[in-house]
Amino acid sequence: MSKTLITGSGVFTPSEIITNEELVKSFNAYAKLQNEKYKEEIEKGERAPILYSSEEFIVKASGIKNRHVVNKSGILDPNIMHPVLEKRKDDELSLMAEMGLKAAKIALKKANKQAKEIDCVIVAASNFERAYPAISIELQQALGAGGFAFDMNVACSSAAFAIQQANDMIKSGTAKTILIVNPEICSGHVEWRDRDCHFIFGDVATALVLENAQNATAKQQFEIIDCKLITKFSNNIRNNNGFLRRSYPEGMKDQRDMQFMQEGRKVFKEVVPLVSDLIIEHLAKNNLTPNDISRLWLHQANKSMNDMIGKKVLGRKPEKTEQPNILDEYANTSSAGSIITFSKYSDDLAKGEIGIICAFGAGYSVGNVIVKKL
Ligand code: CO8
């Protein structure tokens, strides 16, 4: 059976940055305005005041210092508190396709491939700006790629699940060269007015080229040794927005559960063992030990969480270089997080070194991909 290689990767980073300092300043201005507006109810005990956010808490709880976003002015305006974007015409490229295109071009160049050589495009992300036509089909046309395209969503695990699909399609001969793109506009989906989560997310797009080994000409090549996926239902990370919204009595009102919601502590506690057990079992199934692993490209949700997973898997504290962290610069970028670390911190691996790309998140869902540098 033919081998699947990852031969290209790319990251498109939006130019606008929000620091923790700016974020907390605007959140606290919003809290002050709201508390003044509802002063009477708060004094009567009928309404809880909005508590202030703090930079110290954010860094300590998550390791996040900055986030890149597609529009910062709306997010930072205490009277708006969400991105403000111009609505595009139907014949203009969508924002997700535009971001994905930029990441895809970088990945294609690295893979030494022309767009026309791509015979499958997968857009894998946790949020889609429209239901149809698929963003992937729009991107396929914008790139000039052939074959077929489809969108898929497994929240933060979307990229890892897409790698598994692509690996199967290449091995079975369904496609030869597959482009996976992860445009994540998390800023449109997070609740910037909720201090428990307002600091967590950022925007980015990542891309990977996967291909049959026989066609590969790229300088950097990683063989996919094996993929493993698991899912286990949980309501602890949830979003209730959807196409039935207007059908509900309260449908079009501004409701909290239409944005990202999570029980962060529970997620932390439940996901760490789920992920570390899966990685350890997956390595054993492939006759590998933690000592065989040179790099862990983990999903970027929380630094302490990743430190714990790394320690459980390796049986010791991982070195900084073994487990790259991009949370400080990008925050949580959902499905793109592990691919950013792979793209930025993989060229230095020596021939024969092995690493894992591991993503986890809502669902719950976990996807682990074992790769070897060729
Ligand atoms: N400033 C100051 N204090 C705060 C703040 C703040 N901003 N926020 C909370 N506090 C307070 C709390 O109110 C609490 O106070 P008290 O003790 O008085 O009740 C105290 O600080 C501690 O709060 P927490 O217990 O919530 O703090 P934690 O240490 O647990 O940290 C985290 C919170 C950072 C959320 C942490 O629990 C975490 O990261 N957990 C893991 C979450 C995770 O990995 N989730 C994955 C989500 S990503 C995913 O699956 C993709 C979904 C789809 C993408 C969505 C795109 C938007």
Side-chain angles (χ1 to χ4, degrees):
M1 201 186 279
S2 63
K3 287 180 187 170
T4 305
L5 309 187
I6 300 177
T7 52
S9 63
V11 180
F12 164 70
T13 305
S15 59
E16 298 196 19
I17 299 173
I18 300 179
T19 64
N20 283 351
E21 189 185 354
E22 290 172 292
L23 184 77
V24 167
K25 198 174 154 208
S26 94
F27 179 89
N28 290 348
Y30 162 76
K32 192 165 179 268
L33 283 174
Q34 290 294 305
N35 292 342
E36 278 163 7
K37 185 173 170 189
Y38 296 106
K39 195 165 177 264
E40 270 181 36
E41 284 107 308
I42 293 169
E43 278 170 2
K44 281 191 213 153
E46 292 166 3
R47 189 186 186 101
I50 298 180
L51 302 176
Y52 288 139
S53 182
S54 97
E55 286 176 60
E56 296 72 37
F57 172 85
I58 294 171
V59 175
K60 193 163 165 269
S62 67
I64 296 165
K65 294 180 183 158
N66 294 308
R67 68 281 299 139
H68 291 260
V69 290
V70 291
N71 166 262
K72 69 186 268 185
S73 61
I75 295 167
L76 292 180
D77 184 333
N79 292 305
I80 300 178
M81 304 293 278
H82 56 75
V84 175
L85 305 171
E86 247 174 64
K87 187 162 164 29
R88 297 181 178 201
K89 296 194 188 93
D90 285 356
D91 59 0
E92 285 180 295
L93 203 59
S94 66
L95 181 56
M96 284 182 82
E98 180 183 288
M99 290 169 66
L101 189 63
K102 288 178 181 164
K105 283 184 175 167
I106 302 167
L108 282 170
K109 193 166 178 213
K110 206 159 173 206
N112 199 24
K113 281 272 166 297
Q114 302 289 320
K116 61 177 190 280
E117 294 174 88
I118 299 291
D119 53 3
C120 170
V121 178
I122 306 175
V123 171
S126 54
N127 293 290
F128 285 87
E129 64 181 276
R130 63 166 187 261
Y132 44 82
I135 302 289
S136 54
I137 303 177
E138 187 186 4
L139 185 57
Q140 175 195 22
Q141 177 181 265
L143 262 174
F148 62 97
F150 61 91
D151 292 351
M152 57 179 278
N153 175 0
V154 200
C156 291
S157 307
S158 298
F161 276 59
I163 293 173
Q164 201 265 358
Q165 297 306 307
N167 186 32
D168 284 357
M169 285 196 282
I170 289 170
K171 289 206 155 133
S172 66
T174 304
K176 285 196 180 77
T177 309
I178 300 182
L179 175 72
I180 297 174
V181 179
N182 322 104
E184 290 287 8
I185 311 170
C186 300
S187 64
H189 187 59
V190 69
E191 181 50 85
W192 298 95
R193 297 170 298 181
D194 181 344
R195 83 164 182 160
D196 285 345
C197 68
H198 77 120
F199 55 90
I200 296 181
F201 291 101
D203 303 334
V204 81
T206 51
L208 290 175
V209 175
L210 276 71
E211 58 183 308
N212 188 313
Q214 286 148 10
N215 307 325
T217 56
K219 257 195 198 159
Q220 304 282 339
Q221 303 186 353
F222 291 83
E223 180 189 345
I224 295 184
I225 305 292
D226 197 26
C227 305
K228 187 169 172 61
L229 314 177
I230 52 160
T231 49
K232 188 178 174 202
F233 186 68
S234 166
N235 276 318
N236 288 332
I237 314 168
R238 192 170 171 115
N239 168 275
N240 284 332
N241 205 356
F243 76 103
L244 291 179
R245 185 174 180 179
R246 69 168 184 183
S247 319
Y248 303 131
E250 298 291 298
M252 298 317 283
K253 286 195 184 146
D254 178 16
Q255 293 172 72
R256 176 64 189 90
D257 70 337
M258 298 298 169
Q259 308 299 336
F260 168 83
M261 293 190 303
Q262 76 165 349
E263 297 277 350
R265 276 273 153 111
K266 284 191 192 160
V267 174
F268 195 120
K269 222 175 117 202
E270 293 169 5
V271 167
V272 168
L274 202 62
V275 173
S276 33
D277 290 352
L278 176 115
I279 297 173
I280 292 164
E281 278 170 29
H282 193 202
L283 291 176
K285 186 189 144 222
N286 285 277
N287 299 317
L288 294 166
T289 70
N291 288 337
D292 298 317
I293 303 303
S294 303
R295 197 140 306 170
L296 295 94
W297 297 287
L298 299 185
H299 170 50
Q300 304 284 309
N302 179 296
K303 182 165 186 309
S304 320
M305 198 169 170
N306 282 6
D307 290 348
M308 279 178 81
I309 292 168
K311 202 171 163 193
K312 278 193 156 205
V313 169
L314 299 180
R316 61 175 168 78
K317 197 174 164 221
E319 300 294 333
K320 259 190 183 172
T321 48
E322 284 176 309
Q323 188 174 290
N325 166 39
I326 49 91
L327 275 164
D328 50 352
E329 186 190 341
Y330 285 90
N332 183 342
T333 50
S334 197
S335 69
S338 56
I339 309 303
I340 301 175
T341 60
F342 175 77
S343 186
K344 290 190 184 280
Y345 300 99
S346 57
D347 286 357
D348 63 311
L349 285 199
K351 255 187 181 178
E353 282 195 293
I354 292 173
I356 55 161
I357 299 171
C358 185
F360 41 89
Y364 298 132
S365 54
V366 189
N368 194 53
V369 182
I370 305 174
V371 298
K372 183 165 88 180
K373 179 82 180 275
L374 297 183

